[in-house]
Amino acid sequence: YGAEGGDSHPVREFGDAATSPAANPGATTIHIEGPSESPTHQPGLPRGSGGEEDDELLGNDDSDKTELLAGQKKSSPFWTFEYYQTFFDVDTYQVFDRIKGSLLPIPGKNFVRLYIRSNPDLYGPFWICATLVFAIAISGNLSNFLIHLGEKTYHYVPEFRKVSIAATIIYAYAWLVPLALWGFLMWRNSKVMNIVSYSFLEIVCVYGYSLFIYIPTAVLWVIPQKAVRWILVMIALGISGSVLAMTFWPAVREDNRRIALATIVTIVLLHTLLSVGCLAYFFDAPEMDHHLPATTAAPNQTAAAAK
Amino acid sequence: MAKAAESSGDPGTTTPRPLFAGLSDISISQDIPVEGEITIPMRSQIQEFDSSTLNESVQNTIMRDLKAVGKKFMHVLYPRKSNTLLRDWDLWGPLILCVTLALMLQRSSVDSEKDGGPQFAEVFVIVWFGAVTITLNSKLLGGNISFFQSLCVLGYCILPLTVAMLVCRLVLLAEPGPVNFMVRLFVVIVMFAWSIVASTAFLADSQPPNRKALAIYPVFLFYFVISWMILTFTPQ
C-alpha cells in the first residue's frame, strides 16, 4: 500500500517530538511499497521535504534501503556467502511469474525486461534443470517399460546410468551455451553499439526458464505414439524457441542483418538439437505404433508375431 | 605475623621508613581476608561429569548414543512440531539409514555390463549430495537453520523410505505380478508422503514465509527420486 502526497501517516511513534511528523504535517510522505513495484521507482528519488529523516526515525526505511541498495546489490566480495545469496533473492510468486512468462511468450514483450528486471536468480535455472534431468530419465525409463511390456524376452532394468548422462547434457547446455552466447554478444557489442545488452546471469536465467516447457513434454512423451510425440516436441520447441528469439532479437537488431539472423538461427538450432537429441536418446522408438500398451495380464502374442 | 601487620598498619607511631619496606614481611594469613569469592559454580560437578564419561563403560557410551538415535527415529515416525531433531542433531542416524538403503538398493555384481540399478556409491552420493544441495539452497534463500541441523533432519526423514525398501524386498520374495507391483507402489507412496510430512514439520518454520514453497520443493524432488529408486528396484 502506498500513501503518496501530503498525507502524514505516523505509523510508529518515537519519543523525539522535535522531528516528529506532527511538527510538519504537510511535508511527510511515507511510501511503502512491495517488492513487485520496485522497477518503476528510481532509487534515490526524494520523498518530500524532510521526509528522509522522518522515515528513518519511523523505521520505514526498509523499502527505501532495498531500493537504494538495488543499484549496488552485488557489493559483497565473491568469497562471502552473502554474495551468493543475492542470486537467490526471489520470492515464490516471482518464480511462478517467471515460469508463466516462459510458457506464454507475448510477441513484443521481452522476457528479461518484463520478468527478470535486473534481479536474475539462479534458483530457477538450477532447479528447473534438476527437475528436467530426473523427468527425462524417469519418463524415458517408464516409456521403455510400457513399450516393451508383455515381451517375454524383455527384462526391466532401471537404467540408472542414464541419469548421469542426462545431467551432464542438460547442465552443460544450460551453462555453456549462455557462456558462449554472452561472449559472442560482448564481442559484437564492442564493434557495434547495441542498445540492449544482457549480463551473463540474465542469459543463464532466460535459458533456464525457457527449459521449463520440456518438463511436461518429457512427462507426456511416455505416450508411445509417434505422432503425439512429434506434435509435443513441435509445440515445446515453438514456445521456448520463440521466448529465446524474442529475448535476443533486440540485442542483435542493430547489428549487420546477416549476423543478427545467423545468431537467432543458431540459438534456435541448438535448442532444437537439445530437445530432439535428448528425446531420441532417452526414449525408445515405439515400433508397434498400431498397438496400444497391452494390459498387464495378457502376453502380447501379436506383437511378437509382428516383429 | 600479626606483629608485622601491625607495624605496617600504623606508620604514624613508628619512625619514617622507606616506602613498601615492610611489604616483604607480610604474608597472607588467616587475619587478612581476601575480598570476594572465587568459586566456579558447578565446577566440581563438571569435573565429575568429564571423568565419568571417560571412566564409564563402553556399553554406557554406546547405549547413550543409540538411545539418542532411537529417540529421533520415534520423532520422525510420529512427527509433531518439536525441536528435538534440531536441537541435538547428530549424523549417526542418517549414516545408518543411508548405508542400509544403499546396501539394499545396489545391484548385484553379475549385472555390471548392462545398464542396471544404481551402485552403492551412486546411492550414497545421491543421498548425501542431495541433502547438502537442499541445505545450501535453503540457506541461500535466507533460512535460519544451521548446516548440520538441516542435514540431520533430511537424513532422519529417510527412515520411512528405508522401511518401505525393507517391505518391498520382502514383497519381492513372493511371486512377481501386477498385484506385487500394486502393493509395492502403495507402500512406497505412503512412505513418501510420510517422509515429506515429517521433514516439512521440522524444516518449514526455519524458512522465510514468502519462500517456503521454494525451499520445500527440492525436498519433494529429493524424496521422489529416492522413492523412484526404491520402486524400480528389481532383484537380479
Side-chain angles (χ1 to χ4, degrees):
Chain A
Y1 53 101
E4 249 179 333
D7 296 331
S8 69
H9 290 253
V11 180
R12 286 183 216 176
E13 287 167 48
F14 283 75
D16 197 350
T19 50
S20 75
N24 43 0
T28 308
T29 307
I30 301 174
H31 188 99
I32 304 170
E33 57 185 21
S36 59
E37 307 171 40
S38 56
T40 57
H41 208 107
Q42 297 303 314
L45 264 186
R47 301 186 183 271
S49 56
E52 282 95 0
E53 52 188 62
D54 289 328
D55 282 346
E56 255 178 72
L57 277 180
L58 293 173
N60 289 329
D61 56 349
D62 298 27
S63 57
D64 303 355
K65 225 187 330 183
T66 45
E67 293 219 357
L68 286 172
L69 287 179
Q72 334 148 8
K73 225 172 19 166
K74 298 170 176 55
S75 57
S76 319
F78 68 90
W79 57 82
T80 58
F81 193 68
E82 284 73 29
Y83 176 75
Y84 297 102
Q85 266 187 322
T86 57
F87 302 139
F88 282 78
D89 192 18
V90 277
D91 292 336
T92 310
Y93 76 92
Q94 282 177 314
V95 172
F96 281 150
D97 274 345
R98 292 175 186 194
I99 291 179
K100 203 172 44 137
S102 79
L103 290 177
L104 307 166
I106 308 175
K109 295 279 182 66
N110 191 332
F111 181 77
V112 175
R113 286 290 157 256
L114 198 57
Y115 292 104
I116 298 193
R117 283 174 176 171
S118 63
N119 182 20
D121 70 303
L122 286 182
Y123 177 90
F126 181 79
W127 286 110
I128 291 179
C129 289
T131 312
L132 186 60
V133 164
F134 289 114
I136 287 185
I138 291 179
S139 305
N141 201 241
L142 198 57
S143 116
N144 292 351
F145 172 73
L146 286 177
I147 286 177
H148 297 289
L149 194 59
E151 287 174 23
K152 291 217 169 111
T153 55
Y154 180 72
H155 178 70
Y156 170 75
V157 283
E159 290 176 324
F160 191 75
R161 206 184 311 147
K162 291 202 166 170
V163 172
S164 9
I165 300 176
T168 316
I169 296 178
I170 303 271
Y171 275 101
Y173 179 81
W175 288 85
L176 294 182
V177 172
L179 186 65
L181 188 61
W182 174 75
F184 176 76
L185 287 178
M186 285 292 117
W187 175 62
R188 292 311 299 174
N189 235 357
S190 66
K191 302 211 159 173
V192 175
M193 199 53 222
N194 274 322
I195 298 179
V196 174
S197 73
Y198 298 125
S199 72
F200 172 61
L201 281 170
E202 285 172 349
I203 301 183
V204 167
C205 221
V206 174
Y207 263 87
Y209 280 102
S210 74
L211 286 176
F212 179 81
I213 182 71
Y214 289 113
I215 298 177
T217 310
V219 171
L220 285 175
W221 257 56
V222 173
I223 302 173
Q225 300 288 334
K226 252 199 177 125
V228 171
R229 287 184 173 183
W230 280 109
I231 293 176
L232 284 171
V233 88
M234 287 294 140
I235 297 177
L237 202 50
I239 293 180
S240 63
S242 63
V243 167
L244 287 178
M246 282 195 289
T247 305
F248 289 109
W249 179 246
V252 293
R253 194 169 36 197
E254 275 91 32
D255 208 341
N256 186 347
R257 196 78 186 171
R258 278 196 283 180
I259 293 189
L261 279 177
T263 313
I264 300 291
V265 166
T266 313
I267 292 176
V268 175
L269 208 61
L270 281 174
H271 217 62
T272 315
L273 208 60
L274 173 85
S275 42
V276 173
C278 267
L279 297 177
Y281 178 71
F282 291 102
F283 291 78
D284 282 350
E287 307 111 335
M288 303 154 274
D289 281 334
H290 48 289
H291 284 285
L292 290 171
T295 54
T296 53
N300 206 340
Q301 310 252 340
T302 51
K307 279 189 172 171
Chain B
M1 311 305 163
K3 196 171 170 215
E6 264 170 41
S7 66
S8 65
D10 44 319
T13 53
T14 56
T15 56
R17 310 159 54 148
L19 223 48
F20 306 124
L23 216 53
S24 51
D25 299 336
I26 297 180
S27 62
I28 296 183
S29 69
Q30 317 292 10
D31 303 271
I32 308 182
V34 174
E35 284 292 341
E37 285 199 334
I38 314 178
T39 53
I40 304 173
M42 298 199 298
R43 178 164 169 262
S44 53
Q45 288 177 14
I46 290 178
Q47 253 189 345
E48 241 170 273
F49 183 65
D50 276 343
S51 62
S52 73
T53 61
L54 272 179
N55 290 338
E56 71 180 6
S57 66
V58 174
Q59 181 188 8
N60 273 359
T61 317
I62 293 182
M63 284 314 295
R64 191 176 55 240
D65 280 335
L66 277 182
K67 278 202 198 114
V69 169
K71 199 163 81 147
K72 293 203 189 65
F73 278 175
M74 283 301 125
H75 275 275
V76 170
L77 286 180
Y78 303 107
R80 318 174 279 278
K81 278 201 188 302
S82 85
N83 272 340
T84 313
L85 251 72
L86 290 179
R87 219 177 28 227
D88 341 297
W89 59 267
D90 73 85
L91 292 179
W92 281 117
L95 182 67
I96 296 174
L97 288 171
C98 180
V99 167
T100 314
L101 195 62
L103 278 175
M104 288 195 286
L105 270 178
Q106 63 173 346
R107 71 179 107 138
S108 55
S109 52
V110 290
D111 185 35
S112 50
E113 79 276 358
K114 272 181 61 166
D115 243 349
Q119 300 275 23
F120 178 91
E122 286 171 342
V123 178
F124 209 80
V125 158
I126 281 192
V127 170
W128 285 102
F129 273 108
V132 166
T133 310
I134 296 175
T135 308
L136 278 180
N137 176 67
S138 115
K139 284 184 80 78
L140 283 169
L141 282 173
N144 61 344
I145 191 172
S146 101
F147 184 75
F148 286 109
Q149 280 173 344
S150 173
L151 277 188
C152 169
V153 168
L154 288 169
Y156 269 103
C157 291
I158 296 183
L159 176 67
L161 288 171
T162 312
V163 170
M165 182 76 225
L166 282 167
V167 171
C168 282
R169 272 226 111 139
L170 290 174
V171 170
L172 279 170
L173 291 176
E175 56 155 283
V179 175
N180 195 308
F181 178 72
M182 283 308 183
V183 169
R184 282 187 292 138
L185 180 67
F186 176 73
V187 168
V188 169
I189 288 180
V190 166
M191 292 303 174
F192 167 65
W194 202 335
S195 282
I196 300 270
V197 165
S199 62
T200 313
F202 293 119
L203 285 179
D205 285 335
S206 65
Q207 309 301 326
N210 49 349
R211 296 178 184 183
K212 273 205 169 64
L214 294 186
I216 296 293
Y217 170 73
V219 177
F220 171 85
L221 187 65
F222 176 63
Y223 288 129
F224 183 78
V225 169
I226 296 183
S227 313
W228 176 259
M229 288 199 293
I230 292 176
L231 187 60
T232 61
F233 172 76
T234 47
Q236 303 308 326

